[in-house]
Amino acid sequence: VLENLRRPQPALAQYSHACSLDPHSALARFKKARVLMALRQPREALVELELLKNVAPDEANVYFLLGRVYKSLGDKTAAIRNFTCALNLDPKAAQYIKEAMESLDDSEDEEAD
């Protein structure tokens, strides 16, 4: 609810508490990582997502968010690898995943200018 109200700091506190109560809660950990990304803390989000990848290895959304994290960190190779995993796990989301992969080239072009 706090996340939807655009209150990321209190939402992060709640998700952190939920993760401490149940370290294997995939949903709490995923939402925590998403809030960390919204707060522009990709390295912290990366830690959460790497843990989550072990808890939910077949979840395409985890790999998609990992791709976004690596993109924000400037690691194009890791971003493509994770977007590709997401695509393999959820072919129905191909449109969104391909757009994210194509945006890697856009951000590279912006850096060259």
Side-chain angles (χ1 to χ4, degrees):
V1 174
L2 292 170
E3 189 177 358
N4 291 337
L5 293 173
R6 308 238 189 278
R7 297 185 56 207
Q9 289 293 350
L12 179 59
Q14 291 295 316
Y15 294 138
S16 295
H17 182 66
C19 288
S20 68
L21 291 174
D22 182 6
H24 300 292
S25 172
L27 182 60
R29 198 162 297 281
F30 181 78
K31 288 187 174 192
K32 181 180 178 184
R34 200 170 61 190
V35 169
L36 286 166
M37 282 297 293
L39 291 170
R40 301 194 193 296
Q41 298 177 15
R43 294 196 189 286
E44 292 83 354
L46 180 60
V47 171
E48 295 298 325
L49 290 167
E50 288 296 337
L51 290 169
L52 185 55
K53 193 166 63 168
N54 295 324
V55 174
D58 296 329
E59 183 56 53
N61 287 323
V62 172
Y63 290 94
F64 182 77
L65 194 52
L66 271 166
R68 288 185 48 216
V69 167
Y70 281 115
K71 176 186 173 191
S72 71
L73 293 172
D75 189 340
K76 186 176 178 180
T77 303
I80 290 171
R81 183 178 337 113
N82 282 283
F83 284 139
T84 302
C85 287
L87 186 59
N88 290 336
L89 289 168
D90 187 4
K92 292 179 185 174
Q95 172 86 24
Y96 301 107
I97 297 168
K98 286 180 181 178
E99 285 175 8
M101 290 174 85
E102 289 169 2
S103 75
L104 287 170
D105 293 330
D106 295 341
S107 60
E108 192 175 84
D109 291 342
E110 290 171 7
E111 290 173 9
D113 289 340

